[in-house]
Amino acid sequence: MPLAEVQHQPRAVEALKSALKSGSVHHAWLLHGPEGVGKELAAVCFAQALTCPEKPMEGCGVCSSCKRVKGRNHPDVTWVMPEDEQVQRGLAGRSDFDHTPSRDIRIEQVRALGERLSFRPLEAKHKVALLVNAHAMNASAQNALLKTLEEPPRDTILVLVTSALDKLLPTIRSRCTKAQFGPLPVEFLAAQLKAVLRRGSGQAAKKLTDEEASQAAAMAGGSLQRAMELDPAAIEVRREVIERFEALVPDDARGWLAFAEAFGDARANAEVALEVLGVWFRDVAVAQVGQGGLINSDLAPLAGVAAARVSAASLHRRATLLDEARNAITQRNGAVRLQLERMLIEMMTTA
Ligand SMILES: [Zn+2]
């Protein structure tokens, strides 16, 4: 079954599988979760299952139908994504549009989809629409889609894929069955990156050593895409973030403020710093129980020192404070530097 390709997403995969198994698949699905964790792959596998003549409602992955779904040229599977995404993926050229390729999914695209779905399937039992970056629909496009969601044409399954659930109208969300995807485990990301290195292809292969691959995985926030795209400069920052954090002491407020200033100048930098610290706290906890398997394996001696210095309870508290800061920053509440300062003050003043 092609859905077996989607790794480390047991909840979402189970939801899709059991719908297929039941034989009555809801007409609208919303696959949501972080960028680069397998949502689009799952959507493709789901579409294969819905159209495969060899293994109906399961998919074989190898027949002509399944191959064409994956290759985006199955007549009953319609892809919708922003024009600039099509350009970035090499599916279209800038000159294919008589205007600057839009970053939104335009209302015209949604209307064209509605029209296309009004026809009967050409080959398969179902027609499937895959909306990639569904959150890129602006309000009028979403309202146009709402009509299709309310009165879906027969034998039609819509699959919306998004990493920004909150940008979809509540009326859209409530009409879809949701499948939630989570961050991928660091160990899995590291293994995937190393496999890419061994194949000697891709952007990562040119730049990263095996050791750096582990570190890139640790900093990627559970996203394979981010791990692949990580700048080696960001990996370099890892050591600096950890060493500077461990040099902070409770009675030196200027030190905390300098840390917040250094990494709080831009949202992206703060996110990297928090990501690094999150993995670091995990390493320190691992060192406390005396097991091997540190992600920051090159900093094992420092992890040992830190493990002896903080209690398990305050380490846990630090992790909680870090999550709070990370949430505030990603949800764009308030100034980035202020959030870092607040986090450090709480970490340093309460043991
Ligand atoms: Zn097949």
Side-chain angles (χ1 to χ4, degrees):
M1 182 178 212
L3 267 171
E5 276 181 57
V6 182
Q7 294 186 62
H8 296 287
Q9 298 294 355
R11 248 173 82 184
V13 168
E14 199 42 52
L16 296 168
K17 269 190 188 169
S18 58
L20 289 166
K21 216 173 171 183
S22 76
S24 72
V25 177
H26 189 242
H27 72 274
W29 285 79
L30 187 46
L31 277 43
H32 67 99
E35 204 65 64
V37 298
K39 300 185 300 296
E40 191 173 322
L41 175 62
V44 171
C45 297
F46 194 46
Q48 286 176 321
L50 290 165
T51 50
C52 178
E54 300 297 326
K55 290 189 175 172
M57 304 306 265
E58 196 175 326
C60 70
V62 291
C63 73
S64 149
S65 172
C66 284
K67 280 183 183 161
R68 282 178 293 144
V69 170
K70 198 158 203 167
R72 292 172 215 273
N73 49 17
H74 193 292
D76 295 320
V77 179
T78 307
W79 292 72
V80 179
M81 66 179 83
E83 291 162 351
D84 82 334
E85 183 73 25
Q86 296 173 33
V87 173
Q88 274 175 38
R89 294 185 183 202
L91 302 171
R94 298 197 149 265
S95 56
D96 293 337
F97 304 100
D98 59 4
H99 49 266
T100 309
S102 172
R103 297 178 66 175
D104 292 345
I105 293 176
R106 302 160 69 226
I107 188 167
E108 290 83 354
Q109 291 175 275
V110 173
R111 288 199 184 122
L113 173 69
E115 235 159 79
R116 191 167 172 150
L117 294 177
S118 66
F119 298 111
R120 295 165 56 102
L122 288 164
E123 290 183 15
K125 263 187 75 183
H126 296 99
K127 289 162 288 177
V128 184
L130 301 181
L131 286 90
V132 177
N133 292 353
H135 54 268
M137 283 186 287
N138 56 33
S140 49
Q142 291 194 36
N143 279 315
L145 184 71
L146 208 49
K147 272 176 80 180
T148 312
L149 287 178
E150 278 164 351
E151 294 162 31
R154 269 189 59 186
D155 309 319
T156 297
I157 315 281
L158 290 116
V159 184
L160 282 64
V161 177
T162 184
S163 58
L165 191 60
D166 57 334
K167 288 190 186 153
L168 290 172
L169 297 175
T171 41
I172 298 249
R173 290 191 304 227
S174 66
R175 279 174 176 78
C176 297
T177 301
K178 291 171 201 70
Q180 183 178 0
F181 289 68
L184 295 168
V186 172
E187 295 74 11
F188 173 72
L189 291 182
Q192 292 288 306
L193 270 183
K194 283 172 191 164
V196 171
L197 294 182
R198 275 196 299 277
R199 285 202 300 272
S201 64
Q203 189 191 9
K206 283 178 232 133
K207 294 196 252 169
L208 300 186
T209 64
D210 222 43
E211 176 75 18
E212 285 171 332
S214 293
Q215 287 148 16
M219 292 169 62
S223 161
L224 185 55
Q225 187 179 324
R226 263 172 76 186
M228 305 283 253
E229 289 168 358
L230 254 185
D231 189 333
I235 297 164
E236 230 6 83
V237 157
R238 175 195 60 102
R239 180 183 275 272
E240 190 195 339
V241 169
I242 293 170
E243 288 177 346
R244 285 186 66 164
F245 178 83
E246 286 303 331
L248 298 177
V249 285
D251 54 6
D252 178 20
R254 282 170 67 179
W256 324 334
L257 297 182
F259 184 97
E261 189 176 356
F263 300 107
D265 58 336
R267 195 173 302 275
N269 292 347
E271 283 173 354
V272 167
L274 291 176
E275 199 64 56
V276 169
L277 284 181
V279 176
W280 176 243
F281 293 162
R282 172 216 173 264
D283 275 355
V284 174
V286 168
Q288 274 182 341
V289 292
Q291 288 172 345
L294 297 188
I295 290 162
N296 296 284
S297 50
D298 57 331
L299 295 173
L302 186 57
V305 171
R309 206 161 46 192
V310 289
S311 68
S314 54
L315 192 58
H316 181 77
R317 186 172 148 68
R318 282 182 179 185
T320 309
L321 289 166
L322 182 121
D323 277 342
E324 285 170 11
R326 181 155 42 195
N327 288 339
I329 286 171
T330 49
Q331 287 160 16
R332 297 170 187 271
N333 295 337
V336 173
R337 194 165 128 192
L338 210 68
Q339 293 293 349
L340 286 186
E341 284 175 5
R342 182 180 300 167
M343 177 190 83
L344 290 170
I345 288 169
E346 297 230 13
M347 282 181 184
M348 293 296 151
T349 53
T350 54

